[in-house]
Amino acid sequence: MNSQKLYQKAQAYLPGGVNSPVRAFRSVGGTPRFLIRGHGSHVTDADGQEYIDYVNSWGPLILGHAHLPVVRAIQQAAAAGTSFGAPNLLEIELAQRVAQAFPSMELMRFVNSGTEATMSALRLARGYTGRNRILKFDGAYHGHADALLAQAGSGLATFGLPASAGVPESVTQDTLIAPYNDLEAVATLFARLGESIAAVIVEPVAGNMGVVPPAEGFLPGLRQLTSQYGALLIFDEVITGFRLARGGAQELYGIFPDLTCLGKIVGGGLPVGAFGGRREIMELLAPLGPVYQAGTLSGNPLAMAAGMATLDALAQTPQAYSRLDELAAQLVGGWKAAAHDAGLPVTINRVGSMFTAFFTAGPVTDYASAKRSDTAVYARFFHAMLDRGIYLAPSQFEAAFLSLAHSTDDIDTTIVALQEALQSVVAAGGGTVDQGGSSQ
Ligand SMILES: Cc1ncc(COP(=O)(O)O)c(C=O)c1O
């Protein structure tokens, strides 16, 4: 059965044939590829086509697909029981590793997704402060909890809907929105409503409007304002945790939040999320306190084992983060040169092993500037790369991720594909050729 047939079959059971919207290729057109195998930096689809993978299951596979120690750890854990619904040793062992990497997480709780982590962190912030309002940034995505589906990026950004249907106005009316990197707008909101704001939730490096790094002073400013008004600062490190550094963005930028949300890498490809922070806040959680949160499969041994094996393999890989940085710099360098040669305006934002190439002259510093990207050109480019064996995110507003399984050969092959694909986009009349021939 090839992807086409599988997609038809899937649509008989699954809305749009998928279990998460962006996978349906709606913003790039064409048939989603059904992947049947992943190995290292490569994936294979149902048509037997092999690709160099830069989606990386949206971030968790920093070691690559089917990394043997991770697979073995899961098999070993499964042999002892897939779920107990009771305390188990592996929870403690993973928590120890997370606490070591994230000292600001004095206490933490494991959940099963990033969405659960952010939803629970917000409930805790509201419970701790006794306030209802939360502040998030335009184009940021923190999972699909109702209160956070207000001008969220990723999926919704791709479909351009301001908020999801089915979310009561009464739920999002307490969600304040400010442009990313606009500290003044945040300060204005705090000056007006500061006493009613429970928390600011921020992706310390945005990854769902495409990759947008924090501007100079943005994160320290959020730290200062939240402390000044008695609100909590929540770092959503679901993408950046263990991705940018072992201690995530808070290690990289030296700014420490009150609460941190993790996901993706901490589960090694299995469903794990976590939230944690200052002890006095976390002690409000049931069974210790009045803030209720629970999960049947939270802390299940397989997911804990996969997370542990991933964090241990990362710790045992010398220079893991500088190697990822070098590989990504090499790829982005080739990408910029290829775009320049093709005369296509492209702006590439990169932090460590996550980056986005926006089809716009740039700079891209927030959602509004990201949205200036030419998504029609991205769609053509996406398929030109797919046809050349390179699997990128089927949306302009997503991050690309490198893993430690990507080789310099993969990078060289990708750069050749880029040169051809960008030329083919121009030849097909796509993209406003930049007369100046410059690309940032
Ligand atoms: C920054 C961020 N927060 C939260 C989430 C939600 O995580 P999940 O899809 O595991 O529920 C995502 C998912 O991509 C994310 O990128």
Side-chain angles (χ1 to χ4, degrees):
M1 272 250 196
N2 62 25
S3 288
Q4 187 90 40
K5 289 207 181 88
L6 287 169
Y7 190 44
Q8 274 154 15
K9 199 166 180 204
Q11 290 176 84
Y13 303 98
L14 310 173
V18 293
N19 282 312
S20 200
V22 75
R23 302 176 192 175
F25 276 29
R26 286 297 170 95
S27 78
V28 291
T31 302
R33 299 301 188 270
F34 276 64
L35 301 184
I36 56 167
R37 203 175 27 258
H39 187 69
S41 58
H42 289 225
V43 288
T44 304
D45 69 14
D47 303 81
Q49 171 66 42
E50 193 165 326
Y51 305 90
I52 302 174
D53 177 23
Y54 291 101
V55 174
N56 199 248
S57 187
W58 307 103
L61 305 179
I62 195 166
L63 301 168
H65 291 269
H67 186 69
L68 211 49
V70 176
V71 173
R72 289 224 179 95
I74 296 168
Q75 289 166 334
Q76 199 184 338
T82 54
S83 180
F84 302 122
N88 67 79
L89 170 61
L90 296 169
E91 292 172 312
I92 304 170
E93 294 186 329
L94 183 58
Q96 280 171 326
R97 286 158 175 78
V98 174
Q100 207 177 31
F102 289 84
S104 71
M105 297 174 78
E106 296 167 0
L107 279 182
M108 70 191 75
R109 175 153 290 172
F110 290 116
V111 291
N112 305 291
S113 70
T115 295
E116 279 186 58
T118 57
M119 176 175 79
S120 307
L122 286 177
R123 187 180 304 144
L124 191 53
R126 285 172 160 157
Y128 177 76
T129 60
R131 303 170 178 182
N132 286 344
R133 287 206 167 101
I134 56 170
L135 192 155
K136 73 173 285 286
F137 295 93
D138 192 23
Y141 178 69
H142 303 289
H144 61 92
D146 281 0
L148 291 164
L149 284 179
Q151 292 179 356
S154 182
L156 286 176
T158 303
F159 301 133
L161 300 173
S164 166
V167 173
E169 192 76 33
S170 59
V171 172
T172 53
Q173 71 187 10
D174 285 327
T175 304
L176 305 171
I177 312 278
Y180 193 77
N181 275 332
D182 189 342
L183 200 54
E184 217 178 299
V186 178
T188 307
L189 280 170
F190 267 102
R192 275 182 34 224
L193 304 162
E195 309 306 326
S196 66
I197 299 177
V200 170
I201 183 164
V202 63
E203 295 174 70
V205 173
N208 290 291
M209 56 184 92
V211 171
V212 177
E216 185 75 34
F218 181 57
L219 298 178
L222 295 180
R223 179 67 282 178
Q224 189 273 324
L225 280 167
T226 48
S227 302
Q228 180 186 344
Y229 286 90
L232 300 187
L233 180 60
I234 304 176
F235 272 11
D236 179 349
E237 298 230 41
V238 166
I239 288 181
T240 54
F242 297 105
R243 166 65 55 189
L244 300 182
R246 191 161 180 82
Q250 56 197 263
E251 178 189 316
L252 192 66
Y253 296 101
I255 303 293
F256 297 91
D258 301 297
L259 293 172
T260 297
C261 301
L262 297 174
K264 301 189 190 272
I265 294 174
V266 75
L270 267 66
V272 176
F275 66 103
R278 286 169 34 204
R279 181 173 293 278
E280 56 162 327
I281 302 172
M282 292 300 290
E283 287 178 343
L284 285 184
L285 267 186
L288 298 180
V291 177
Y292 193 73
Q293 186 280 332
T296 301
L297 295 174
S298 296
N300 87 77
L302 269 66
M304 298 295 105
M308 269 169 55
T310 298
L311 300 190
D312 290 351
L314 269 175
Q316 285 144 20
T317 307
Q319 315 300 321
Y321 291 98
S322 52
R323 231 177 87 207
L324 284 165
D325 197 55
E326 272 158 37
L327 273 176
Q330 200 189 330
L331 176 57
V332 165
W335 201 310
K336 285 181 177 172
H340 181 272
D341 297 348
L344 266 175
V346 168
T347 298
I348 304 183
N349 286 347
R350 178 180 77 84
V351 183
S353 60
M354 59 187 283
F355 68 92
T356 301
F358 298 92
F359 280 96
T360 175
V364 176
T365 56
D366 59 11
Y367 190 36
S369 48
K371 281 196 285 188
R372 284 199 281 272
S373 303
D374 189 329
T375 50
V377 167
Y378 183 82
R380 255 196 295 279
F381 167 72
F382 169 83
H383 284 288
M385 290 294 275
L386 205 59
D387 297 344
R388 289 170 176 79
I390 310 296
Y391 192 73
L392 299 173
S395 158
Q396 169 67 94
F397 303 105
E398 296 286 351
F401 298 102
L402 272 102
S403 77
L404 287 164
H406 283 83
S407 63
T408 44
D409 284 355
D410 287 332
I411 305 299
D412 295 344
T413 305
T414 307
I415 291 173
V416 172
L418 276 167
Q419 290 158 345
E420 294 171 6
L422 291 166
Q423 295 290 352
S424 78
V425 165
V426 172
T432 47
V433 172
D434 182 321
Q435 302 312 323
S438 70
S439 64
Q440 288 79 27

